[in-house]
């Protein structure tokens, strides 16, 4: 049986205020074409369908269109809710959708209720474990503690118990949305440490033939049977080096896993460039990034004039500008707060001016103005004390 494993669509998300709806539509076109062309038997979507609990209407319409296209192909689709989704909203209408082959698993009570498929070698049970917030599901699952490892372990115990009662040779697949130990993170994933230690061991999935994971945005293999598909698009510059893809997983008669990466379309490459403004504007080696989404880090000791506008003339898709001045020889690397300790009000004010101006100190006139302002504040404070 052949599965297409994907996750973390984040429909409705933008990239530094640039809409990604067109790119997300192109990805879904690619997914539907892959299902048709590669003889896929089922699609597995491991959570974070949407980017937020109440997605924009355009994202909902895109999701609805994708479901209709998958249903028309007659290929079953199993989806779970992720930590970005509203499980209850996503699950509305799931009973009706199941009749069309779209199986939404958003309720923790349904963890041990599989979608059953069959091929020439017998049954395959697909279990959907939605994102499990420890404090909210601990009692329902009978977990010993309110942390991620405990609640996911309890959910997997119910899966293994159900599987044990099925005919011998039943193969099994689990969809889960979690941070599994050993996975590499990126900046665009929402932290799930609330409710205890975030990571869970890969061994929690022992006893099933394949675990289709979502949450981390990099495609990665933790074991041959435990894999993240990653997000289909880059959602932060920390993903600039990611190869975005889906897993085409084939489960043979004995439950052995054979996996192949299927690349996703790239709407626009990402580039991180760094250096003084003049270098970034003139360096011919950067010509290859002129059509990329660009994050530029300026290392000039003083903030240049209109850097965003000047850079955008060369890099029209510049979306992020960072200032990180190179350390001057002999200049302290201590934090601003550390450098203020034990200093007078006048010294603190002068240090502040130098700090916000990337090392350019106050001149004589500015120092006199600062001194006058400090004296005036002190006089007002003393007048206030006398009035009391």
């Amino acid at each position: 049986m052949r599965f297409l494993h994907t996750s973390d669509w984040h429909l409705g998300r933008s990239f530094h205020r640039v809409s990604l709806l067109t790119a997300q539509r192109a990805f879904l076109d690619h997914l539907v074409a892959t299902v048709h062309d590669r003889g896929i038997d089922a699609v597995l979507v491991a959570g974070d369908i949407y980017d937020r609990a109440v997605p924009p209407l355009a994202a909902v319409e895109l999701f609805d269109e994708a479901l209709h296209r998958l249903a028309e192909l007659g290929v079953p689709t199993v989806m779970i809710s992720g930590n970005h989704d509203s499980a209850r909203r996503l699950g509305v209408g799931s009973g009706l959708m199941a009749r069309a082959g779209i199986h939404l698993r958003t309720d923790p009570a349904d963890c041990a209720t599989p979608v059953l498929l069959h091929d020439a070698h017998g049954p395959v049970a697909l279990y959907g474990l939605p994102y499990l917030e420890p404090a909210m599901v601990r009692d329902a699952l009978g977990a010993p503690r309110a942390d991620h490892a405990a609640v996911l372990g309890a959910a997997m115990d119910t899966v293994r118990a159900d599987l044990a009662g099925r005919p011998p040779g039943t193969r099994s697949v689990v969809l889960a949305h979690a941070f599994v130990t050993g996975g590499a993170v990126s900046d665009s994933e929402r932290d799930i440490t609330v409710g205890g230690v975030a990571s869970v061991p890969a061994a929690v999935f022992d006893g099933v033939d394949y675990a289709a994971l979502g949450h981390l945005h990099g495609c990665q293999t933790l074991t041959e049977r435990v894999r993240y598909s990653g997000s289909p698009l880059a959602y932060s510059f920390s993903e600039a080096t990611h190869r975005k893809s889906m897993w085409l997983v084939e489960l043979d008669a004995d439950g052995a896993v054979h996996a192949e990466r299927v690349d996703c379309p790239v709407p626009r490459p990402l580039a991180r460039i760094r250096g003084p403004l003049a270098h970034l504007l003139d360096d011919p080696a950067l010509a290859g990034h002129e059509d990329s989404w660009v994050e530029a880090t300026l290392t000039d000791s003083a903030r240049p004039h209109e850097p965003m506008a000047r850079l955008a003339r060369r890099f029209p898709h510049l979306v992020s500008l960072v200032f990180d001045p190179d350390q001057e020889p002999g200049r302290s690397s201590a934090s601003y707060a550390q450098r203020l300790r034990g200093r007078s009000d006048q010294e603190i004010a002068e240090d502040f001016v130098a700090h916000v101006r990337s090392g350019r100190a106050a001149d004589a006139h500015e120092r006199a103005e600062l001194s006058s302002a400090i004296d005036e504040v002190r006089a007002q404070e003393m007048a206030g004390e006398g009035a009391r």
Side-chain angles (χ1 to χ4, degrees):
M1 189 168 288
R2 293 162 68 84
F3 304 104
L4 192 62
H5 167 199
T6 176
S7 73
D8 295 273
W9 294 356
H10 290 277
L11 299 180
R13 187 163 186 154
S14 60
F15 184 77
H16 292 269
R17 294 194 288 266
V18 177
S19 172
L20 290 176
L21 203 65
T22 299
Q24 290 174 332
R25 182 180 299 278
F27 159 68
L28 291 172
D29 289 344
H30 172 67
L31 182 145
V32 171
T34 302
V35 170
H36 178 271
D37 297 343
R38 301 295 298 270
I40 302 300
D41 296 305
V43 176
L44 314 178
V45 188
D48 281 354
I49 311 299
Y50 293 119
D51 189 55
R52 54 182 184 266
V54 184
L57 179 59
V60 177
E61 291 174 340
L62 183 57
F63 178 59
D64 180 65
E65 179 186 327
L67 295 189
H68 276 83
R69 295 173 70 186
L70 289 169
E72 287 170 2
L73 290 176
V75 176
T77 299
V78 183
M79 298 179 161
I80 61 173
S81 51
N83 60 302
H84 279 248
D85 299 309
S86 167
R88 294 185 65 179
R89 283 189 175 91
L90 187 62
V92 170
S94 58
L96 287 173
M97 291 184 194
R99 299 180 186 179
I102 307 296
H103 304 275
L104 285 164
R105 290 293 187 264
T106 62
D107 188 343
D110 295 330
C111 286
T113 304
V115 175
L116 291 173
L117 304 179
H118 294 80
D119 63 9
H121 307 294
V124 180
L126 284 72
Y127 298 89
L129 279 56
Y131 170 67
L132 302 172
E133 180 58 46
M136 297 179 65
V137 303
R138 174 189 177 182
D139 292 340
L141 293 174
R145 301 177 310 280
D147 63 43
H148 290 277
V151 297
L152 191 55
M156 281 301 302
D157 285 343
T158 67
V159 167
R160 283 185 283 263
D162 179 82
L163 192 56
R166 298 197 173 273
T170 298
R171 290 157 292 165
S172 57
V173 174
V174 164
L175 288 76
H177 195 86
F179 177 19
V180 178
T181 305
V185 302
S186 60
D187 292 343
S188 57
E189 298 132 6
R190 181 179 296 166
D191 183 34
I192 59 172
T193 54
V194 174
V197 176
S199 65
V200 301
V204 76
F205 300 107
D206 287 353
V208 298
D209 294 307
Y210 184 71
L213 302 183
H215 179 58
L216 300 185
H217 288 182
C219 181
Q220 48 201 298
T221 301
L222 303 185
T223 74
E224 285 303 305
R225 297 182 182 276
V226 181
R227 299 171 187 261
Y228 282 100
S229 66
S231 61
L233 299 170
Y235 292 121
S236 73
F237 278 100
S238 66
E239 301 170 45
T241 60
H242 286 192
R243 172 189 165 193
K244 296 300 183 180
S245 59
M246 303 176 284
W247 285 113
L248 196 164
V249 178
E250 187 165 348
L251 207 60
D252 71 13
D254 299 319
V257 171
H258 307 275
E260 171 192 348
R261 290 180 72 173
V262 178
D263 290 331
C264 296
V266 179
R268 191 178 299 281
L270 272 60
R272 279 176 150 169
I273 60 177
R274 178 185 178 91
L277 178 61
H279 170 77
L280 300 185
L281 292 174
D282 298 333
D283 186 1
L286 299 179
H289 300 316
E290 290 174 359
D291 196 42
S292 301
W293 275 319
V294 171
E295 178 184 74
T297 299
L298 296 183
T299 61
D300 302 81
S301 59
R303 188 178 295 243
H305 178 64
E306 295 186 340
M308 192 79 173
R310 294 164 68 186
L311 280 166
R313 285 194 283 271
R314 181 179 188 189
F315 304 101
H317 304 288
L318 173 71
V319 294
S320 177
L321 185 62
V322 179
F323 292 94
D324 184 21
D326 283 338
Q327 191 73 27
E328 296 177 5
R331 187 177 174 186
S332 171
S333 62
S335 70
Y336 174 60
Q338 290 171 330
R339 286 186 278 118
L340 295 185
R341 290 175 188 160
R343 301 181 71 77
S344 68
D345 291 344
Q346 178 76 20
E347 289 171 327
I348 289 173
E350 292 180 17
D351 280 357
F352 177 79
V353 171
H355 178 73
V356 298
R357 296 201 308 206
S358 302
R360 186 160 60 89
D363 59 28
H365 174 72
E366 290 168 332
R367 289 197 298 272
E369 289 291 327
L370 290 170
S371 178
S372 176
I374 291 169
D375 289 343
E376 184 177 347
V377 170
R378 285 174 180 161
Q380 290 174 354
E381 289 177 345
M382 291 176 66
E385 287 294 330
R388 288 197 287 270

